[in-house]
Amino acid sequence: MSNIKIHIIELGPVKDCELTLAPVMLFTGKSNLGKSYVNFLAYYVYNLFSSQRLYDFITNKITVDVEKAKKIAFTIKADDLRLWMENDIRAFFQYLLSYKDIPCQIQFLFNNNVPDKFEFEYIEGDIPEKLSSSDYYSASLSLNGKSKNILISGIYKKYFLLYDMTRSLGETLLGKLIIRSFLFPPGRASLLSGNYSTQYSSSRLGLYDIFLRDNDEINRDAMRHPDRVDNFFLSHIHNLINGKLSTDKEGIYLVLDNGHSIPLDAAASSVKELTPLLLWMQGVFIENQSVCIEEPEAHLHPEMQIAVADLLAACINKGAYMQITTHSDYFMQRFNQLLKLGCMREKNKTAFIDFCKKNLYNNRYYLNRNNVKAYYFYAENGYTKMIHLEIGEHGIPMSTFFNAVGDLAAKDETINEEFEKLEEGDNC
């Protein structure tokens, strides 16, 4: 689990709330209360330790010429990093939302497992015998005495070194190595088939600029390694969209079983909305990656929402991290079922497997409640509050959703009663 907790003093409409990072973070509640802001806040942390955002901060701590030095030793104080993050988060949101005056005051809190300082030591080695190119050589990188062997490119030495240092720092603070984080914002489907002017206009908002770059990276990886896919996800994605996704330099296509290819422009909105996420799922290295997903249920029939929840659970059980916002009762109820299945598996794995066989369930579709943090948003005195929903053996207590469904059923009953009275009157 993460060694970072977050105190939100103020973030948009959200005030005075605590956030604990976890492998799976679920944010729900009524619209326009700031769920996305908090979701992006969680994404910021995972992105920070899996991107180039920290490179300048780390470089400023190194007092020697990185390109020439054979040995590098330096220290980062935990308080310095924490304070830098508290200043940087505002710049991140200003760029992300194009919101210069966004109310943003965040405290990052490191727990007692985090040392007061991070001591790095880098020592170059020789060219590994297994590599014929002299562009690469071996090195040792240690953080607080814990060493690992790394490969460094002679051409991109500084980049490679900062890459490994950033992720080592993240592994200490997050409790897991995250090598890449992806952002799937709302309304993403419209960008996948838009012309250049549409993409350019949309990308003025930083979150869409990030998404377009992330989507390009996912597509490039799919093109470079068409055979490097996880067959489990490939099969279940085929069942979900009644075909498979194909990527080339001309674009993305939905290939039907009869061999006919449909350009993504002409595919259903549900397929377009899901495409970036599904292409990411097919990759074989998702266990060390994190994705921030806004409304995975958008444009989807309830049956597809349930299927997507199942696929997300399979990704999580493979080791992927996720931050998710949702308004969907179907999605939430399926998450609850997956959590119950996870409790069943925790109590008796054999009984769980037998249950899955008997009921034709896939035994990769479950969730471990210890990996999930769920938060509910509500309005109070003109601001937004956020409460942590304790997850028990019966899943997430979502009375607000279930109350809404109950109210709808009660209204339906009242209307039906009135219809019956009118029909009785007609008969008279």
Side-chain angles (χ1 to χ4, degrees):
M1 284 291 191
S2 171
N3 291 313
I4 302 176
K5 291 186 177 182
I6 303 171
H7 177 58
I8 302 170
I9 299 173
E10 186 176 25
L11 180 59
V14 183
K15 279 203 170 188
D16 192 25
C17 297
E18 298 288 336
L19 182 68
T20 301
L21 295 177
V24 186
M25 307 194 70
L26 192 63
F27 304 105
T28 190
K30 293 181 180 180
S31 299
N32 203 33
L33 291 177
K35 294 186 301 298
S36 293
Y37 285 20
V38 179
N39 200 28
F40 296 147
L41 172 60
Y43 161 80
Y44 165 82
V45 179
Y46 292 111
N47 177 257
L48 181 66
F49 296 108
S50 61
S51 69
Q52 299 181 40
R53 196 168 187 91
L54 265 177
Y55 286 12
D56 287 343
F57 172 79
I58 294 175
T59 300
N60 289 334
K61 302 295 180 180
I62 302 174
T63 58
V64 298
D65 188 333
V66 173
E67 299 293 349
K68 296 180 179 178
K70 300 291 184 181
K71 181 176 180 179
I72 301 171
F74 66 99
T75 298
I76 295 175
K77 293 181 180 178
D79 281 346
D80 288 348
L81 174 60
R82 183 178 53 78
L83 291 172
W84 182 89
M85 290 170 63
E86 291 176 0
N87 286 319
D88 182 63
I89 186 63
R90 181 176 178 82
F92 169 78
F93 270 105
Q94 287 174 331
Y95 162 71
L96 191 78
L97 304 175
S98 294
Y99 187 179
K100 181 180 178 181
D101 298 320
I102 181 172
C104 181
Q105 190 175 358
I106 306 295
Q107 289 181 328
F108 294 98
L109 309 171
F110 298 164
N111 69 22
N112 293 332
N113 294 328
V114 177
D116 293 335
K117 55 187 178 180
F118 305 101
E119 296 180 334
F120 282 97
E121 185 176 55
Y122 164 82
I123 302 174
E124 284 186 11
D126 300 321
I127 301 171
E129 294 181 2
K130 64 179 180 179
L131 292 179
S132 59
S133 171
S134 60
D135 288 339
Y136 287 86
Y137 50 86
S138 64
S140 170
L141 178 65
S142 69
L143 173 56
N144 291 347
K146 185 178 180 180
S147 299
K148 65 179 179 180
N149 295 322
I150 60 175
L151 288 177
I152 293 291
S153 165
I155 300 175
Y156 303 107
K157 176 182 176 180
K158 183 176 180 180
Y159 174 85
F160 271 60
L161 187 54
L162 291 172
Y163 173 95
D164 281 300
M165 288 177 173
T166 296
R167 283 151 184 79
S168 294
L169 198 57
E171 190 171 9
T172 298
L173 288 166
L174 300 175
K176 180 181 175 68
L177 176 65
I178 302 293
I179 61 174
R180 189 70 176 87
S181 57
F182 295 97
L183 177 62
F184 300 135
R188 52 193 174 271
S190 61
L191 298 182
L192 297 180
S193 57
N195 58 28
Y196 177 78
S197 61
T198 300
Q199 293 192 5
Y200 177 78
S201 175
S202 298
S203 65
R204 291 176 185 173
L205 273 179
L207 76 165
Y208 292 113
D209 188 38
I210 292 171
F211 165 68
L212 290 171
R213 292 199 304 267
D214 285 352
N215 187 59
D216 285 346
E217 181 173 335
I218 292 169
N219 292 335
R220 283 195 300 268
D221 192 59
M223 284 189 285
R224 289 183 192 133
H225 309 284
D227 300 322
R228 197 177 70 183
V229 295
D230 187 311
N231 288 324
F232 171 86
F233 287 100
L234 201 63
S235 172
H236 286 76
I237 288 169
H238 177 276
N239 294 336
L240 177 67
I241 61 175
N242 297 316
K244 66 178 183 178
L245 296 168
S246 176
T247 306
D248 61 28
K249 292 181 180 179
E250 300 300 321
I252 305 172
Y253 300 86
L254 173 63
V255 182
L256 304 178
D257 289 340
N258 61 9
H260 183 63
S261 293
I262 300 175
L264 195 61
D265 291 13
S269 59
S270 58
V271 174
K272 286 193 284 189
E273 190 77 20
L274 286 174
T275 289
L277 180 61
L278 298 182
L279 283 174
W280 169 79
M281 282 182 184
Q282 294 177 184
V284 294
F285 300 121
I286 66 173
E287 62 269 17
N288 290 110
Q289 297 181 359
S290 174
V291 292
C292 177
I293 312 169
E294 287 282 301
E295 301 171 9
E297 72 273 8
H299 303 292
L300 303 186
H301 184 276
E303 289 182 0
M304 290 187 77
Q305 293 184 34
I306 293 167
V308 168
D310 288 345
L311 285 171
L312 293 180
C315 292
I316 291 161
N317 292 331
K318 193 175 177 180
Y321 275 34
M322 293 192 180
Q323 306 89 52
I324 303 169
T325 63
T326 182
H327 298 105
S328 170
D329 175 55
Y330 299 106
F331 189 87
M332 287 296 298
Q333 290 205 48
R334 184 54 180 167
F335 245 60
N336 265 350
Q337 290 177 356
L338 294 168
L339 286 164
K340 292 176 187 178
L341 289 169
C343 287
M344 183 189 302
R345 185 179 185 274
E346 184 181 350
K347 288 183 175 183
N348 190 321
K349 188 173 180 180
T350 301
F352 167 75
I353 297 294
D354 291 342
F355 175 84
C356 290
K357 287 180 179 178
K358 181 180 178 180
N359 293 278
L360 302 179
Y361 286 3
N362 192 296
N363 60 29
R364 292 178 68 167
Y365 294 158
Y366 68 90
L367 285 170
N368 184 336
R369 58 178 169 162
N370 295 322
N371 291 333
V372 181
K373 295 288 184 185
Y375 292 88
Y376 175 71
F377 291 68
Y378 65 96
E380 183 178 272
N381 298 326
Y383 293 98
T384 296
K385 293 292 185 179
M386 179 181 78
I387 57 172
H388 174 226
L389 300 171
E390 293 290 343
I391 301 175
E393 292 187 352
H394 297 286
I396 304 168
M398 285 305 303
S399 59
T400 53
F401 266 113
F402 303 141
N403 287 344
V405 174
D407 288 344
L408 193 61
K411 289 175 181 176
D412 192 50
E413 184 176 348
T414 302
I415 293 170
N416 288 338
E417 289 176 356
E418 188 63 26
F419 261 113
E420 289 175 3
K421 291 179 182 178
L422 291 173
E423 288 174 353
E424 290 173 1
D426 289 340
N427 291 336
C428 292

